[in-house]
C-alpha cells in the first residue's frame, strides 16, 4: 500500500498496515518525506534521499522520529533540514550512524584496563578499578569519547570537593584515559578536557601519635585481644607497622620466606619503590615470633580466612581500635609517620630515615645506596626500644 497525500495528523492517525508489509504514506509536497506504519501499529516519520544527487547516487533512509513524539509539522521541519544538508553535500544518515557507533568512555576504559592495568602494581590496579567503578563510570561511562567536555569533567571534579585528595586522583585517572584516547586517535590531539580543570589544594597530613596515645593504643589492643574483640594477627600487624614504618600493603603481603633473621630484615621483592629491605628491630622480631603461632602453615605472615590466603586489609579492626583507644583522625598510614618522627627524635639523619622507610623519592634512596645496612638497623632498634616500652606495657 503506497499513498501520496499531504501528511497531516488526521491522515496519519488513520493510516494502518495491511497484510504482511508496512504501509507508507508519502507527502505530496516534500519529496522523500513519508510516514511508515509498522505491523506493530507504530508509525514513524522517514525521509528517503540520494547522496550526491542523480538516480545513480546511493539511496539512504533516515528515520526522523515516532508519530506521537513528533507532530507532522515537526517531522516535516526535520526532513527539510536534512534535505538542506544533502544539498550542501552532507549525508545526515551517515552522521547519525557515526554518532550512534562512536566509542564511549567505557570502551576506552576497557582497552586501558586490558592493555595497561596489568603492568601496574596490584594496589594501583585496585585503586583504578575502584575510581572507575564508583566515580567515573556512573557519570561519564556512556558518553561518546569525543563528546566528553571540560565542563562535564569540571562538574564531576567539583562534586567531590569534600574529598579533595580522592577527587584529584580520579581527575588524574580520567586525564590518563583521555590522553590514551588521543594516542588511539579516538579524540583530536591536544583535546584532553581535563586540562585547565583546577585541582583541589591538598593539605599534607602530619599526624603523629604522641607518647600518651601510644600507651593507650598498646593497652587497648591487649585488652581487645584478651576479650576476643580483636584477632592476635590484627594486633601484631599494627605493632609491626609501627615498629618497621613499613607501608600497610608491604606488611600484609609479606611472606615468611622473606624473613632473614640473621640479617634482621624482611626482604620485599617488590614495593611502591621496587625491591627493598624492611629492617627488623629486636622488638619487631619478637612480634614475628608471637605471630608464628597464629599463622599455622600459611605462607603469609598475616593469614586470611583461607588456608593459603592473606589478610586483605585492617580497616575494620583499625576503626575499632581507634574507637577503643580514643584516637581521633588517625589513619593506619600515620603509624609510618609516627615511626619516622621517633627516628628524627633519636637523631637519625634524613638519608638513614629514607633508607629505613624505603623513601618514595628514588633519587634520595639511590644517592645513599652505598650506606651500610647497620646504621639503619641501629635506628630501627632505637625506634623499637621506644615503641616496645610503650605498647607492650
Amino acid at each position: 500500500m503506497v499513498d501520496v497525500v499531504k501528511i497531516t495528523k488526521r491522515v496519519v492517525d488513520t493510516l494502518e498496515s495491511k497484510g504482511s508489509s508496512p504501509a507508507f504514506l508519502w507527502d505530496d509536497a516534500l519529496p522523500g518525506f513519508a510516514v511508515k506504519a509498522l505491523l506493530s501499529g507504530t508509525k514513524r516519520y522517514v525521509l528517503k534521499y540520494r547522496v550526491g544527487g542523480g538516480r545513480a547516487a546511493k539511496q539512504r533512509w533516515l528515520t526522523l522520529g515516532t508519530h506521537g513524539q513528533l507532530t507532522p509539522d515537526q517531522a516535516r521541519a526535520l526532513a527539510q533540514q536534512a534535505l538542506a544538508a544533502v544539498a550542501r553535500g552532507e549525508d545526515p544518515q551517515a552522521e547519525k550512524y557515526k554518532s550512534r557507533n562512536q566509542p564511549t568512555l567505557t570502551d576506552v576504559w576497557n582497552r586501558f584496563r586490558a592493555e595497561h592495568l596489568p603492568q601496574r602494581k596490584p594496589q594501583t590496579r585496585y585503586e583504578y578499578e575502584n575510581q572507575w567503578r564508583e566515580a567515573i563510570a556512573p557519570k561519564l561511562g556512556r558518553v561518546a569519547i569525543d563528546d566528553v567536555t571540560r565542563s562535564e569533567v569540571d562538574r564531576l571534579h567539583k562534586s567531590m570537593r569534600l574529598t579533595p585528595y580522592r577527587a584529584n586522583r580520579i581527575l588524574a585517572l580520567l586525564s590518563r584515559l583521555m590522553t590514551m584516547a588521543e594516542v588511539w586517535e579516538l579524540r583530536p590531539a591536544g583535546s584532553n578536557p581535563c586540562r585547565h580543570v583546577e585541582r583541589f589544594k591538598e593539605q599534607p597530613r602530619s599526624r603523629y601519635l604522641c607518647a600518651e596515645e601510644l600507651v593507650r593504643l598498646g593497652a587497648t589492643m591487649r585488652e581487645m585481644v584478651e576479650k576476643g574483640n580483636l584477632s592476635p594477627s590484627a594486633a601484631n600487624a599494627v605493632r609491626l607497622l609501627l615498629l618497621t614504618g613499613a607501608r600497610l600493603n608491604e606488611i600484609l603481603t609479606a611472606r615468611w620466606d622473606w624473613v632473614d633473621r640473621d640479617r634482621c630484615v624482611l626482604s620485599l621483592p617488590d614495593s611502591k619503590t621496587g625491591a627493598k629491605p624492611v629492617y627488623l628491630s629486636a622488638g619487631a622480631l619478637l612480634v614475628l615470633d608471637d605471630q608464628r603461632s597464629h599463622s599455622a602453615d600459611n605462607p603469609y605472615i598475616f593469614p586470611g580466612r583461607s588456608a593459603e590466603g592473606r589478610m586483605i586489609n585492617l580497616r575494620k579492626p583499625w576503626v575499632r581500635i581507634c574507637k577503643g583507644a580514643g584516637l581521633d583522625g588517625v589513619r593506619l598510614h600515620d603509624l609510618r609517620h609516627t615511626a619516622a618522627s621517633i627516628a628524627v627524635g633519636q637523631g637519625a639523619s634524613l638519608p638513614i630515615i629514607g633508607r629505613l622507610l624505603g623513601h618514595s623519592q628514588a633519587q634520595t634512596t639511590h644517592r645513599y645506596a652505598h650506606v651500610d645496612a647497620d646504621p639503619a638497623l641501629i635506628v630501627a632498634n632505637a625506634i623499637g626500644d621506644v615503641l616496645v616500652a610503650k605498647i607492650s606495657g
Side-chain angles (χ1 to χ4, degrees), residues 144-250:
I145 188 63
D146 202 35
D147 292 339
V148 179
T149 64
R150 183 175 296 136
S151 61
E152 289 177 309
V153 174
D154 188 57
R155 188 160 51 248
L156 172 63
H157 186 242
K158 282 185 170 57
S159 71
M160 297 179 286
R161 59 172 56 88
L162 296 180
T163 54
Y165 181 87
R166 176 173 171 78
N168 289 347
R169 300 292 81 72
I170 289 170
L171 182 60
L173 172 58
L174 185 55
S175 181
R176 179 61 176 162
L177 293 177
M178 291 299 167
T179 297
M180 295 313 302
E182 293 181 23
V183 172
W184 295 327
E185 299 182 342
L186 301 177
R187 284 183 67 98
S191 66
N192 191 332
C194 299
R195 293 178 61 191
H196 308 303
V197 174
E198 187 175 357
R199 271 62 170 171
F200 292 119
K201 186 175 181 180
E202 298 178 17
Q203 297 292 342
R205 294 190 55 173
S206 300
R207 179 70 163 92
Y208 311 112
L209 275 69
C210 66
E212 190 271 335
E213 288 176 322
L214 287 168
V215 171
R216 291 208 313 266
L217 172 63
T220 298
M221 289 195 297
R222 290 194 301 276
E223 181 179 355
M224 290 178 68
V225 170
E226 290 172 0
K227 292 183 177 181
N229 297 327
L230 180 69
S231 72
S233 290
N236 282 336
V238 172
R239 294 184 181 108
L240 205 59
L241 286 170
L242 261 175
L243 289 164
T244 62
R247 299 179 179 88
L248 175 63
N249 206 48
E250 294 171 350

Side-chain angles (χ1 to χ4, degrees), residues 2 13 18 21 61 66 68 95 105 107 141 143 148 152 180 190 234 239 285 301-302 304 364 386 391:
V2 178
D13 287 340
K18 296 181 180 179
S21 299
W61 284 86
T66 303
E95 292 298 321
L105 185 57
D107 295 322
V143 178
V148 179
E152 289 177 309
M180 295 313 302
R239 294 184 181 108
L285 290 172
I301 295 176
F302 296 100
T364 303
V386 173
I391 65 176

Side-chain angles (χ1 to χ4, degrees), residues 3-8 25-34 76:
D3 290 330
V4 178
V5 67
K6 180 175 175 57
I7 293 178
T8 64
L25 178 65
W26 296 91
D27 191 71
D28 62 358
L30 188 61
F33 178 47
R76 183 178 287 104

